[in-house]
Coordinates of all heavy atoms in Angstrom, one line a residue:
M1 N 0.9 -1.2 0.0 CA 0.0 0.0 0.0 C 0.9 1.2 0.0 O 1.7 1.4 0.9 CB -0.9 0.0 1.2 CG -2.2 0.8 1.1 SD -3.2 0.6 2.5 CE -3.3 2.3 3.1
T2 N 0.7 2.1 -0.9 CA 1.5 3.3 -1.0 C 0.6 4.5 -0.5 O -0.6 4.6 -0.8 CB 2.0 3.6 -2.4 OG1 0.9 3.6 -3.3 CG2 2.9 2.6 -2.9
T3 N 1.3 5.3 0.2 CA 0.6 6.5 0.7 C 0.9 7.7 -0.2 O 2.1 7.9 -0.4 CB 1.0 6.8 2.2 OG1 1.0 5.6 2.9 CG2 0.1 7.8 2.8
P4 N -0.1 8.4 -0.7 CA 0.3 9.5 -1.5 C 1.0 10.6 -0.7 O 0.7 10.8 0.5 CB -1.1 10.0 -2.0 CG -2.1 9.4 -1.1 CD -1.5 8.2 -0.5
T5 N 1.9 11.2 -1.3 CA 2.6 12.3 -0.5 C 1.7 13.4 -0.3 O 1.1 14.0 -1.2 CB 3.8 12.8 -1.4 OG1 4.6 11.7 -1.8 CG2 4.7 13.7 -0.6
P6 N 1.5 13.8 1.0 CA 0.6 14.8 1.3 C 1.1 16.2 0.8 O 2.4 16.4 0.8 CB 0.4 14.8 2.8 CG 1.6 14.1 3.3 CD 2.1 13.2 2.2
A7 N 0.3 17.1 0.5 CA 0.7 18.4 0.2 C 1.4 19.0 1.5 O 0.9 18.7 2.6 CB -0.5 19.3 -0.2
P8 N 2.4 19.7 1.3 CA 3.1 20.3 2.5 C 2.1 21.2 3.3 O 1.6 22.2 2.8 CB 4.3 21.0 1.9 CG 4.0 21.3 0.5 CD 3.0 20.2 0.1
T9 N 1.9 20.8 4.5 CA 1.0 21.6 5.4 C 1.7 21.7 6.7 O 2.6 20.9 7.1 CB -0.4 21.0 5.6 OG1 -0.2 19.7 6.1 CG2 -1.2 20.9 4.3
H10 N 1.3 22.7 7.5 CA 1.8 22.9 8.8 C 0.6 22.9 9.7 O -0.4 23.7 9.5 CB 2.5 24.2 8.9 CG 3.0 24.5 10.3 ND1 4.0 23.8 10.9 CD2 2.6 25.4 11.2 CE1 4.2 24.3 12.1 NE2 3.4 25.2 12.3
M11 N 0.5 21.9 10.7 CA -0.6 21.8 11.6 C -0.5 22.8 12.7 O 0.4 22.8 13.5 CB -0.7 20.4 12.2 CG -2.0 20.1 12.9 SD -3.5 20.2 11.9 CE -3.3 18.7 10.9
E12 N -1.4 23.7 12.7 CA -1.5 24.7 13.8 C -2.4 24.3 14.9 O -3.4 23.6 14.6 CB -2.0 26.1 13.3 CG -1.2 26.7 12.1 CD -0.1 27.5 12.7 OE1 -0.1 27.9 13.8 OE2 0.9 27.7 11.9
I13 N -2.1 24.6 16.1 CA -3.0 24.3 17.3 C -3.3 25.6 18.0 O -2.3 26.4 18.3 CB -2.3 23.3 18.2 CG1 -2.1 22.0 17.5 CG2 -3.2 23.1 19.5 CD1 -1.4 20.9 18.4
Q14 N -4.5 26.0 18.1 CA -4.9 27.3 18.6 C -5.8 27.1 19.8 O -6.8 26.4 19.7 CB -5.6 28.1 17.5 CG -5.8 29.5 17.9 CD -6.4 30.3 16.7 OE1 -7.5 29.9 16.2 NE2 -5.8 31.4 16.3
I15 N -5.5 27.7 20.9 CA -6.4 27.7 22.0 C -7.6 28.5 21.7 O -7.6 29.6 21.2 CB -5.7 28.3 23.3 CG1 -4.5 27.5 23.6 CG2 -6.6 28.4 24.5 CD1 -3.5 28.1 24.6
T16 N -8.8 27.9 22.0 CA -10.0 28.5 21.5 C -11.0 28.9 22.7 O -12.1 29.3 22.5 CB -10.8 27.6 20.6 OG1 -11.0 26.3 21.3 CG2 -10.1 27.3 19.3
G17 N -10.5 28.7 23.9 CA -11.3 29.1 25.0 C -10.5 29.2 26.3 O -9.3 29.3 26.3
I18 N -11.3 29.4 27.4 CA -10.6 29.6 28.7 C -10.3 28.3 29.3 O -11.0 27.3 29.2 CB -11.6 30.4 29.6 CG1 -12.0 31.7 29.0 CG2 -11.1 30.6 31.0 CD1 -13.2 32.4 29.6
R19 N -9.1 28.3 30.0 CA -8.7 27.1 30.7 C -9.6 26.9 31.9 O -9.9 27.8 32.6 CB -7.2 27.3 31.2 CG -6.7 26.1 32.0 CD -5.3 26.2 32.4 NE -4.4 26.2 31.3 CZ -3.2 26.7 31.3 NH1 -2.7 27.2 32.4 NH2 -2.4 26.6 30.3
K20 N -10.1 25.6 32.0 CA -11.0 25.2 33.1 C -10.3 24.4 34.1 O -9.4 23.6 33.8 CB -12.2 24.5 32.5 CG -12.9 25.2 31.4 CD -13.8 26.3 32.0 CE -14.6 27.0 30.9 NZ -15.4 28.1 31.4
H21 N -10.8 24.5 35.3 CA -10.2 23.7 36.4 C -11.3 22.8 37.0 O -12.4 23.3 37.3 CB -9.6 24.6 37.5 CG -8.6 25.5 36.9 ND1 -7.2 25.2 37.0 CD2 -8.6 26.6 36.2 CE1 -6.5 26.1 36.4 NE2 -7.4 27.0 35.9
I22 N -10.9 21.6 37.3 CA -11.9 20.6 37.9 C -11.2 19.7 38.8 O -10.0 19.3 38.6 CB -12.7 19.9 36.7 CG1 -13.8 19.1 37.3 CG2 -11.7 19.0 35.9 CD1 -14.8 18.6 36.2
A23 N -11.8 19.3 39.9 CA -11.3 18.3 40.8 C -12.1 17.0 40.7 O -13.3 17.1 40.5 CB -11.2 18.8 42.2
V24 N -11.5 15.9 40.9 CA -12.2 14.6 40.9 C -11.8 13.8 42.1 O -10.6 13.7 42.4 CB -11.9 13.8 39.6 CG1 -12.6 12.5 39.6 CG2 -12.2 14.6 38.3
C25 N -12.7 13.2 42.7 CA -12.4 12.3 43.9 C -12.1 10.9 43.3 O -12.9 10.3 42.6 CB -13.6 12.2 44.8 SG -13.3 11.1 46.2
I26 N -10.8 10.5 43.6 CA -10.4 9.1 43.1 C -10.3 8.1 44.3 O -9.6 7.1 44.1 CB -9.1 9.2 42.3 CG1 -8.0 9.8 43.2 CG2 -9.3 10.0 41.1 CD1 -6.6 9.6 42.6
T27 N -10.8 8.5 45.4 CA -10.8 7.6 46.6 C -11.5 6.3 46.2 O -12.6 6.3 45.7 CB -11.4 8.2 47.8 OG1 -10.9 9.5 48.0 CG2 -11.3 7.4 49.0
E28 N -10.9 5.1 46.5 CA -11.5 3.9 46.3 C -12.6 3.6 47.4 O -12.3 3.7 48.5 CB -10.5 2.7 46.3 CG -9.7 2.7 45.0 CD -8.6 1.7 44.9 OE1 -8.7 0.7 45.7 OE2 -7.7 1.9 44.1
T29 N -13.7 3.3 46.9 CA -14.8 3.0 47.8 C -15.3 1.6 47.4 O -16.0 1.4 46.4 CB -16.0 4.0 47.6 OG1 -16.4 4.0 46.3 CG2 -15.6 5.4 48.0
G30 N -14.9 0.6 48.2 CA -15.3 -0.8 47.8 C -14.5 -1.2 46.6 O -13.3 -1.2 46.6
E31 N -15.2 -1.5 45.5 CA -14.5 -2.0 44.3 C -14.2 -0.9 43.3 O -13.4 -1.2 42.4 CB -15.4 -3.0 43.7 CG -15.5 -4.3 44.5 CD -16.6 -5.2 44.0 OE1 -17.2 -5.0 42.9 OE2 -17.0 -6.1 44.8
K32 N -14.7 0.3 43.4 CA -14.4 1.3 42.4 C -14.2 2.6 43.1 O -14.5 2.8 44.2 CB -15.6 1.3 41.4 CG -16.9 1.6 42.0 CD -18.0 1.7 40.9 CE -19.3 2.0 41.6 NZ -20.4 2.2 40.6
E33 N -13.7 3.5 42.2 CA -13.5 4.9 42.7 C -14.8 5.6 42.9 O -15.8 5.4 42.2 CB -12.6 5.6 41.6 CG -11.2 5.2 41.5 CD -10.4 6.0 40.5 OE1 -11.0 6.9 39.8 OE2 -9.2 5.7 40.4
C34 N -14.7 6.6 43.8 CA -15.8 7.4 44.1 C -16.2 8.2 42.8 O -17.4 8.1 42.3 CB -15.5 8.4 45.2 SG -16.7 9.7 45.4
G35 N -15.2 8.8 42.1 CA -15.4 9.4 40.8 C -16.3 10.7 40.8 O -16.6 11.2 39.7
I36 N -16.6 11.2 41.9 CA -17.4 12.4 41.9 C -16.6 13.6 41.4 O -15.4 13.8 41.8 CB -18.0 12.7 43.3 CG1 -19.1 11.6 43.6 CG2 -18.6 14.1 43.4 CD1 -20.0 12.0 44.7
R37 N -17.1 14.4 40.5 CA -16.4 15.5 40.0 C -17.0 16.8 40.6 O -18.2 16.9 40.8 CB -16.6 15.6 38.5 CG -16.0 14.4 37.7 CD -16.5 14.2 36.3 NE -15.9 15.2 35.4 CZ -14.8 15.1 34.8 NH1 -14.1 13.9 34.8 NH2 -14.3 16.0 34.0
S38 N -16.1 17.8 40.7 CA -16.5 19.1 41.2 C -17.2 19.8 40.0 O -17.2 19.3 38.9 CB -15.3 19.9 41.7 OG -14.5 20.3 40.6
S39 N -17.6 21.0 40.3 CA -18.0 21.9 39.2 C -16.8 22.3 38.5 O -15.7 22.0 38.9 CB -18.7 23.2 39.8 OG -19.8 22.9 40.6
V40 N -17.0 22.9 37.3 CA -15.9 23.4 36.5 C -15.7 24.9 36.7 O -16.7 25.6 36.6 CB -16.2 23.1 35.0 CG1 -15.0 23.5 34.1 CG2 -16.4 21.6 34.8
W41 N -14.5 25.3 37.0 CA -14.3 26.7 37.3 C -13.2 27.3 36.4 O -12.4 26.6 35.9 CB -13.8 26.9 38.8 CG -14.9 26.6 39.8 CD1 -15.9 27.4 40.0 CD2 -15.0 25.5 40.7 NE1 -16.7 26.9 41.1 CE2 -16.1 25.7 41.4 CE3 -14.2 24.4 40.9 CZ2 -16.5 24.8 42.4 CZ3 -14.6 23.5 41.8 CH2 -15.8 23.7 42.6
D42 N -13.3 28.6 36.2 CA -12.3 29.3 35.4 C -11.0 29.6 36.2 O -10.0 30.0 35.6 CB -12.8 30.7 35.0 CG -14.0 30.5 34.0 OD1 -14.2 29.4 33.5 OD2 -14.7 31.5 33.7
T43 N -11.0 29.4 37.5 CA -9.8 29.5 38.3 C -9.6 28.3 39.2 O -10.6 27.6 39.5 CB -9.8 30.8 39.2 OG1 -10.6 30.4 40.4 CG2 -10.4 32.0 38.5
P44 N -8.4 28.0 39.6 CA -8.2 26.8 40.4 C -8.5 27.0 41.9 O -8.5 26.1 42.7 CB -6.6 26.5 40.3 CG -6.0 27.8 40.0 CD -7.1 28.6 39.2
V45 N -8.8 28.3 42.2 CA -9.0 28.6 43.6 C -10.1 27.8 44.3 O -9.9 27.3 45.5 CB -9.3 30.2 43.8 CG1 -9.6 30.5 45.2 CG2 -8.1 31.0 43.2
P46 N -11.3 27.6 43.7 CA -12.3 26.9 44.5 C -12.1 25.4 44.6 O -12.8 24.7 45.4 CB -13.6 27.1 43.6 CG -13.2 28.1 42.6 CD -11.8 28.1 42.4
L47 N -11.0 24.8 44.0 CA -10.8 23.4 44.0 C -10.6 22.9 45.4 O -11.2 21.9 45.9 CB -9.7 23.0 43.1 CG -9.8 23.2 41.6 CD1 -8.6 22.7 40.9 CD2 -11.1 22.5 41.1
N48 N -9.7 23.6 46.2 CA -9.4 23.1 47.5 C -10.6 23.2 48.4 O -10.8 22.3 49.3 CB -8.2 23.9 48.1 CG -6.9 23.5 47.5 OD1 -6.8 22.6 46.7 ND2 -5.9 24.2 47.8
S49 N -11.4 24.2 48.3 CA -12.6 24.3 49.1 C -13.6 23.1 48.8 O -14.1 22.5 49.7 CB -13.4 25.6 48.8 OG -12.5 26.7 49.0
W50 N -13.7 22.8 47.5 CA -14.6 21.7 47.1 C -14.0 20.4 47.7 O -14.8 19.6 48.3 CB -14.7 21.6 45.6 CG -15.6 20.4 45.2 CD1 -16.9 20.5 45.0 CD2 -15.1 19.1 44.9 NE1 -17.4 19.2 44.7 CE2 -16.3 18.4 44.6 CE3 -13.9 18.5 44.9 CZ2 -16.3 17.0 44.2 CZ3 -13.9 17.1 44.5 CH2 -15.0 16.4 44.2
I51 N -12.7 20.2 47.6 CA -12.1 19.0 48.1 C -12.3 18.9 49.6 O -12.7 17.8 50.2 CB -10.6 18.9 47.7 CG1 -10.4 18.7 46.2 CG2 -9.9 17.8 48.5 CD1 -9.0 18.9 45.7
R52 N -12.1 20.0 50.3 CA -12.3 20.0 51.8 C -13.7 19.6 52.2 O -14.0 18.8 53.1 CB -11.9 21.3 52.4 CG -10.4 21.6 52.5 CD -10.1 22.7 53.5 NE -8.7 23.1 53.3 CZ -8.4 24.1 52.5 NH1 -9.3 24.8 51.8 NH2 -7.1 24.4 52.3
A53 N -14.7 20.2 51.4 CA -16.1 20.0 51.7 C -16.4 18.5 51.5 O -17.1 17.9 52.3 CB -16.9 20.9 50.9
H54 N -15.9 18.0 50.4 CA -16.2 16.6 50.0 C -15.5 15.6 51.0 O -16.1 14.6 51.5 CB -15.7 16.2 48.6 CG -16.1 14.9 48.1 ND1 -17.4 14.5 47.8 CD2 -15.3 13.8 48.0 CE1 -17.4 13.2 47.5 NE2 -16.2 12.7 47.6
A55 N -14.3 16.0 51.5 CA -13.6 15.2 52.4 C -14.3 15.2 53.8 O -14.5 14.2 54.5 CB -12.2 15.7 52.6
N56 N -14.8 16.4 54.2 CA -15.6 16.5 55.4 C -16.8 15.6 55.4 O -17.2 14.9 56.4 CB -16.0 17.9 55.7 CG -14.9 18.7 56.4 OD1 -14.0 18.1 57.0 ND2 -15.0 20.0 56.2
E57 N -17.5 15.6 54.3 CA -18.7 15.0 54.1 C -18.6 13.4 54.1 O -19.4 12.7 54.6 CB -19.4 15.4 52.8 CG -20.9 15.4 52.7 CD -21.3 16.0 51.4 OE1 -21.1 17.2 51.2 OE2 -21.9 15.3 50.6
T58 N -17.5 13.0 53.4 CA -17.4 11.6 53.1 C -16.2 10.9 53.7 O -16.1 9.6 53.7 CB -17.2 11.4 51.5 OG1 -16.0 12.1 51.1 CG2 -18.4 12.0 50.8
G59 N -15.2 11.6 54.2 CA -14.0 11.0 54.6 C -13.0 10.6 53.5 O -12.0 9.9 53.8
H60 N -13.4 10.9 52.3 CA -12.5 10.5 51.2 C -11.2 11.3 51.2 O -11.2 12.5 51.5 CB -13.3 10.7 49.9 CG -14.4 9.7 49.7 ND1 -15.3 9.8 48.7 CD2 -14.8 8.7 50.5 CE1 -16.2 8.8 48.8 NE2 -15.9 8.1 49.9
T61 N -10.1 10.7 50.7 CA -8.8 11.3 50.9 C -8.0 11.5 49.7 O -7.0 12.1 49.7 CB -8.0 10.4 51.9 OG1 -7.9 9.1 51.4 CG2 -8.6 10.4 53.3
K62 N -8.4 10.9 48.5 CA -7.6 11.0 47.3 C -8.3 11.7 46.2 O -9.4 11.4 45.8 CB -7.2 9.6 46.9 CG -6.2 8.9 47.8 CD -5.8 7.5 47.3 CE -4.9 7.5 46.2 NZ -4.5 6.2 45.7
Y63 N -7.6 12.7 45.6 CA -8.2 13.5 44.6 C -7.3 13.8 43.5 O -6.0 13.7 43.7 CB -8.7 14.9 45.2 CG -9.7 14.7 46.4 CD1 -9.2 14.5 47.7 CD2 -11.0 14.8 46.1 CE1 -10.1 14.3 48.7 CE2 -11.9 14.6 47.1 CZ -11.5 14.3 48.4 OH -12.4 14.1 49.4
K64 N -7.8 14.2 42.4 CA -7.0 14.7 41.3 C -7.5 16.0 40.8 O -8.7 16.2 40.7 CB -7.0 13.7 40.1 CG -5.8 12.7 40.1 CD -5.8 12.0 38.8 CE -4.7 10.9 38.9 NZ -4.8 9.9 37.8
K65 N -6.6 16.9 40.5 CA -7.0 18.2 39.9 C -6.7 18.1 38.4 O -5.6 17.7 38.1 CB -6.2 19.3 40.6 CG -6.5 19.6 42.0 CD -5.7 20.7 42.6 CE -6.0 21.0 44.0 NZ -5.1 22.0 44.6
H66 N -7.6 18.6 37.6 CA -7.4 18.6 36.2 C -7.6 20.0 35.7 O -8.3 20.8 36.2 CB -8.5 17.7 35.5 CG -8.4 16.3 35.8 ND1 -7.6 15.4 35.2 CD2 -9.1 15.5 36.7 CE1 -7.7 14.2 35.7 NE2 -8.6 14.2 36.6
T67 N -6.9 20.3 34.6 CA -7.2 21.5 33.8 C -7.5 21.0 32.4 O -7.0 20.0 31.9 CB -6.0 22.4 33.7 OG1 -4.9 21.7 33.2 CG2 -5.6 23.0 35.1
E68 N -8.4 21.8 31.8 CA -8.9 21.5 30.5 C -8.7 22.8 29.7 O -9.1 23.9 30.1 CB -10.3 21.1 30.4 CG -10.6 19.8 31.0 CD -12.1 19.4 31.0 OE1 -12.9 20.3 30.6 OE2 -12.4 18.2 31.3
E69 N -8.2 22.7 28.5 CA -8.0 23.8 27.6 C -8.5 23.5 26.2 O -7.9 22.6 25.6 CB -6.5 24.2 27.6 CG -6.3 25.6 27.2 CD -4.8 26.0 27.6 OE1 -3.9 25.3 27.1 OE2 -4.7 27.0 28.3
P70 N -9.6 24.0 25.8 CA -10.1 23.7 24.5 C -9.1 24.2 23.4 O -8.7 25.4 23.5 CB -11.5 24.4 24.4 CG -11.4 25.4 25.4 CD -10.4 25.0 26.5
V71 N -8.8 23.4 22.5 CA -8.0 23.8 21.3 C -8.6 23.3 20.0 O -9.3 22.3 20.0 CB -6.5 23.3 21.4 CG1 -5.8 23.9 22.7 CG2 -6.4 21.8 21.4
N72 N -8.3 24.0 19.0 CA -8.6 23.6 17.6 C -7.3 23.3 16.8 O -6.4 24.0 17.1 CB -9.5 24.6 16.9 CG -10.9 24.6 17.3 OD1 -11.3 23.9 18.2 ND2 -11.7 25.4 16.6
T73 N -7.4 22.4 15.9 CA -6.3 22.2 15.0 C -6.8 22.7 13.6 O -7.9 22.6 13.3 CB -5.8 20.8 14.9 OG1 -6.9 20.0 14.5 CG2 -5.3 20.2 16.2
F74 N -5.8 23.2 12.9 CA -6.1 23.5 11.5 C -4.8 23.5 10.7 O -3.8 23.8 11.3 CB -6.9 24.9 11.3 CG -6.1 26.0 11.9 CD1 -5.3 26.8 11.0 CD2 -6.2 26.4 13.2 CE1 -4.6 27.9 11.5 CE2 -5.5 27.5 13.7 CZ -4.7 28.2 12.9
S75 N -4.9 23.0 9.5 CA -3.7 22.9 8.8 C -3.5 24.0 7.8 O -4.5 24.5 7.2 CB -3.7 21.5 8.0 OG -4.8 21.5 7.2
K76 N -2.3 24.5 7.8 CA -2.0 25.6 6.9 C -1.1 25.1 5.8 O -0.2 24.3 6.0 CB -1.1 26.6 7.7 CG -1.8 27.9 8.1 CD -0.7 28.8 8.7 CE -1.3 30.1 9.2 NZ -0.3 30.8 10.0
R77 N -1.5 25.4 4.6 CA -0.7 24.9 3.5 C 0.5 25.8 3.4 O 0.5 27.0 3.6 CB -1.5 25.2 2.2 CG -1.0 24.4 1.0 CD -2.0 24.5 -0.1 NE -3.1 23.6 0.1 CZ -3.2 22.4 -0.3 NH1 -2.2 21.8 -0.9 NH2 -4.3 21.7 0.0
V78 N 1.7 25.1 3.3 CA 2.9 25.8 3.3 C 3.1 26.4 1.9 O 3.0 25.7 0.9 CB 4.1 24.8 3.6 CG1 5.4 25.6 3.5 CG2 3.9 24.3 5.0
K79 N 3.4 27.7 1.8 CA 3.6 28.3 0.5 C 4.9 27.8 -0.1 O 5.9 27.6 0.7 CB 3.6 29.8 0.7 CG 2.3 30.4 1.0 CD 2.4 31.9 1.2 CE 1.2 32.5 1.9 NZ 1.6 33.7 2.7
A80 N 4.9 27.7 -1.3 CA 6.1 27.3 -2.0 C 7.3 28.2 -1.7 O 8.4 27.7 -1.5 CB 5.9 27.3 -3.5
S81 N 7.0 29.4 -1.5 CA 8.1 30.4 -1.2 C 8.7 30.2 0.2 O 9.8 30.6 0.5 CB 7.6 31.8 -1.3 OG 6.5 32.0 -0.4
D82 N 7.9 29.5 1.1 CA 8.4 29.2 2.5 C 9.3 28.0 2.6 O 9.9 27.8 3.6 CB 7.2 29.0 3.4 CG 6.4 30.3 3.6 OD1 7.0 31.4 3.3 OD2 5.3 30.2 4.1
Q83 N 9.4 27.2 1.5 CA 10.1 25.9 1.7 C 11.6 26.1 1.5 O 12.0 26.9 0.7 CB 9.6 24.9 0.6 CG 8.2 24.5 1.0 CD 7.7 23.4 0.1 OE1 8.4 22.4 -0.2 NE2 6.5 23.6 -0.5
Ligands
LIG101 ZN1 -15.4 10.9 47.0

């Protein structure tokens, strides 16, 4: 199988939104993780409060903090003059 030579392109990745912060409880409860997710916030500041509140309520001790950043890809055709 031969692959046709693709036209020269340059893949751009562009951030398209605000970085979001979320915490997830990964404490094992019996056979599986608790898995409860916090709300999604634009700043990381509320994460610790959410974790403390959930820990107070449940006694759960293991968490992960995640950030999400929406991005788009788009390919730019490389101009012959750029090569
Ligand atoms: Zn939990």
